[in-house]
Amino acid sequence: MIGNSWARPDEHGGHEEQLAELGLKYEYFEQLIREGEEARAAATKDDANNAAGTFDYFARVRTLRNLLRTEEQWHRYDPKQSPLTVNPDKSMGIGVLLGDARTGLPGNPQPRSHRPAGVAKESLVARNQDIDPGLFPMPLAEEELEAQRNEDEYANLTTWYLLTFRYTARKQGFIEVRSELSLPSRVGPRGKIDSWDRRILLPAIRFKKTFDYPDGDTGFDVAVEEW
């Protein structure tokens, strides 16, 4: 773990209670963000510009899956190579996504995904609109689960994303990662997710950093083939 880091005081409030209603804990998301930032340190001056962001992305996906599998009995699900971690009754999945500068901030305009969603994410967002989970997805009764398995194993899945934005303050010597766990509702005309039904804003985390060479990487850059 990274020692030179700290979380800013929660300016929004209520995130721990909202996460608890989903069967989740803030510490899971804090840890995967820290693990991702630590993974960036493996990138060297000789790597491609996108190496640090790619290492970060892989670490976040891996850490999220490991934590939720070991602590909450969630499991992996990879629809069209779009990695999700899914709860035991298959009513909620979580993915990792890079957002823009509005990420983690309250009010409008809402944040957008940094890059176009792609076919797999567009399909998952469209499915969210076909399901009405109420404020939060509720566990299903056993007989409902059995009927679901017979029709479509993931028919009642709503897909959420841990949306993050990484701000670099070079003169001040720190990195700030803002984040939120949010439920997307629309893919806009440019292919980016730009509307969210639910947003759980999480405390920003700052990391002390010495900038010894230019940082050409702006975030995740992972080539994923979707079909």
Side-chain angles (χ1 to χ4, degrees):
M1 304 299 289
I2 298 177
N4 294 327
S5 64
W6 67 98
R8 286 171 48 191
D10 182 12
E11 301 169 350
H12 317 300
H15 66 277
E16 292 184 340
E17 292 80 5
Q18 293 180 71
L19 291 174
E21 291 192 50
L22 294 170
L24 297 167
K25 299 177 182 178
Y26 168 65
E27 63 193 57
Y28 300 154
F29 301 102
E30 181 181 27
Q31 182 171 338
L32 73 90
I33 289 172
R34 294 183 188 278
E35 293 286 352
E37 196 64 29
E38 184 172 355
R40 285 176 172 269
T44 71
K45 298 178 183 179
D46 298 318
D47 280 311
N49 283 343
N50 64 355
T54 301
F55 296 162
D56 185 347
Y57 174 81
F58 288 158
R60 292 189 190 191
V61 171
R62 179 178 63 248
T63 303
L64 178 66
R65 286 179 161 176
N66 179 263
L67 284 171
L68 293 184
R69 175 176 54 81
T70 57
E71 299 293 333
E72 306 292 347
Q73 291 73 56
W74 291 41
H75 63 274
R76 64 180 294 159
Y77 175 46
D78 296 272
K80 299 180 181 178
Q81 297 190 25
S82 182
L84 300 177
T85 309
V86 176
N87 65 357
D89 67 13
K90 302 182 179 68
S91 64
M92 178 182 184
I94 301 176
V96 174
L97 189 64
L98 192 67
D100 66 8
R102 290 293 307 168
T103 300
L105 301 178
N108 291 312
Q110 292 190 345
R112 295 186 303 177
S113 59
H114 183 66
R115 296 183 177 85
V119 174
K121 292 185 181 68
E122 286 185 10
S123 176
L124 292 168
V125 173
R127 172 172 284 188
N128 283 351
Q129 296 308 293
D130 294 332
I131 299 172
D132 181 12
L135 180 59
F136 298 108
M138 300 298 293
L140 301 176
E142 184 56 37
E143 55 271 20
E144 293 174 307
L145 278 173
E146 187 59 35
Q148 172 184 317
R149 294 189 192 101
N150 292 337
E151 296 177 6
D152 179 352
E153 190 176 7
Y154 293 93
N156 291 317
L157 183 72
T158 55
T159 300
W160 296 60
Y161 286 100
L162 177 69
L163 194 65
T164 58
F165 175 77
R166 189 172 182 268
Y167 170 71
T168 302
R170 300 183 68 85
K171 291 183 179 180
Q172 293 84 356
F174 69 83
I175 297 291
E176 179 172 281
V177 180
R178 299 200 298 268
S179 65
E180 58 185 76
L181 181 65
S182 296
L183 179 66
S185 60
R186 185 182 69 180
V187 176
R190 296 186 178 182
K192 297 182 179 182
I193 301 172
D194 62 4
S195 183
W196 312 81
D197 278 339
R198 306 282 184 264
R199 298 177 63 202
I200 302 176
L201 307 183
L202 305 177
I205 303 175
R206 286 185 178 180
F207 301 88
K208 292 182 180 179
K209 185 174 177 64
T210 300
F211 299 93
D212 54 355
Y213 60 92
D215 185 1
D217 175 66
T218 58
F220 309 147
D221 192 356
V222 183
V224 177
E225 181 181 354
E226 298 180 330
W227 64 88

